Amino acid sequence: MATPPVILAVISLLLLSVPTHSATCTSQTFSNNKVYSLCTDLPHLNSYLHWTYDSSNSSLSIAFTAPPAKSNGWISWGINPTATGMIGSQALIAYRPSNGSTVVQTYNISSFSPIVPGKIAFEVPEKQAVYSNDAITIFATVVLPTGTKTTVNHVWQVGPEMDGSSPKRHDMAPANLNANGTLDFMKGETVTGNSSSGAGGNSSTPSSVGPTFSNFFSSPPLVVLVALVSLLVVA
């Protein structure tokens, strides 16, 4: 029995709507020709992290890339040595002032406001920010205190606007609230946290990064597609 054209059209539309998951950090290059040992596609906010860890001097060189929420917005990446969310994080925040440059500064985020530039718990001997293709990349070298574990809590975030050198509040969407997790410098393993509060979230319940087999086949387009295929087989 021939397959009706209407059913074929529905199947084609469903296939187009099925989400795809593919790593992209491995294909990224930087205009300053920096190369890093490891990278990961962070699971929220279209963000990517590249890094190289030098255990001989406990230094971490990173490149963090994300698009700001708006053209005059900001991006941030940081390490939280005491908790799993925003409060306590030692962060790098990059933005574009009205003069068209791109700057990055350090922020010790001890409360929700005010968030102002200042010295952080880690030495940052090198930092730079670059704007390209509607995204900002933060390049930095962070020297971690001796004895720091190679697995740390990290947070990342994007926001819509700056007030001088202070970032204004970001969106409270799930992607923003879940932009935190753990990062293993040596193994290259990342785990993201599930959270419902705070900038970058605050949670101690991790979940693995990336799609699972069960999640893939539980997506609505796939459920309908499987049902249609079953009908065709019966017919």
Side-chain angles (χ1 to χ4, degrees):
M1 177 180 177
T3 304
V6 173
I7 293 181
L8 287 174
V10 172
I11 291 175
S12 298
L13 288 173
L14 288 170
L15 287 172
L16 289 174
S17 66
V18 173
T20 57
H21 300 271
S22 60
T24 58
C25 73
T26 54
S27 64
Q28 291 176 331
T29 57
F30 302 111
S31 59
N32 56 12
N33 297 320
K34 285 184 177 291
V35 178
Y36 298 85
S37 300
L38 297 165
C39 74
T40 184
D41 298 344
L42 295 170
H44 304 294
L45 305 175
N46 297 319
S47 305
Y48 307 91
L49 182 66
H50 300 248
W51 74 93
T52 297
Y53 179 65
D54 186 347
S55 58
S56 66
N57 58 9
S58 298
S59 68
L60 179 69
S61 297
I62 66 101
F64 170 72
T65 300
K70 292 183 179 180
S71 59
N72 59 338
W74 53 269
I75 71 166
S76 174
W77 179 85
I79 294 174
N80 193 328
T82 59
T84 58
M86 183 190 85
I87 301 302
S89 63
Q90 308 298 294
L92 296 157
I93 297 180
Y95 58 96
R96 303 182 72 209
S98 58
N99 63 11
S101 64
T102 308
V103 300
V104 57
Q105 295 175 285
T106 56
Y107 294 74
N108 182 350
I109 304 179
S110 57
S111 65
F112 288 109
S113 63
I115 298 176
V116 296
K119 184 177 176 58
I120 64 174
F122 312 131
E123 292 183 39
V124 186
E126 178 184 16
K127 64 182 186 297
Q128 178 191 16
V130 175
Y131 179 80
S132 178
N133 297 323
D134 299 322
I136 296 176
T137 298
I138 296 173
F139 299 98
T141 298
V142 178
V143 180
L144 303 172
T146 302
T148 300
K149 295 181 179 179
T150 58
T151 298
V152 299
N153 301 314
H154 74 134
V155 296
W156 64 98
Q157 195 56 254
V158 301
E161 193 175 359
M162 295 290 293
D163 182 6
S165 59
S166 295
K168 288 191 173 181
R169 184 169 179 164
H170 62 73
D171 290 341
M172 302 301 285
N176 299 87
L177 299 178
N178 289 324
N180 69 95
T182 61
L183 172 68
D184 188 320
F185 302 149
M186 301 293 286
K187 296 180 181 178
E189 295 175 351
T190 58
V191 175
T192 185
N194 290 327
S195 173
S196 60
S197 65
N202 287 279
S203 173
S204 58
T205 307
S207 63
S208 296
V209 171
T212 63
F213 187 81
S214 60
N215 288 340
F216 180 73
F217 278 97
S218 65
S219 63
L222 260 298
V223 171
V224 178
L225 179 59
V226 170
L228 284 172
V229 171
S230 299
L231 289 173
L232 291 175
V233 171
V234 171

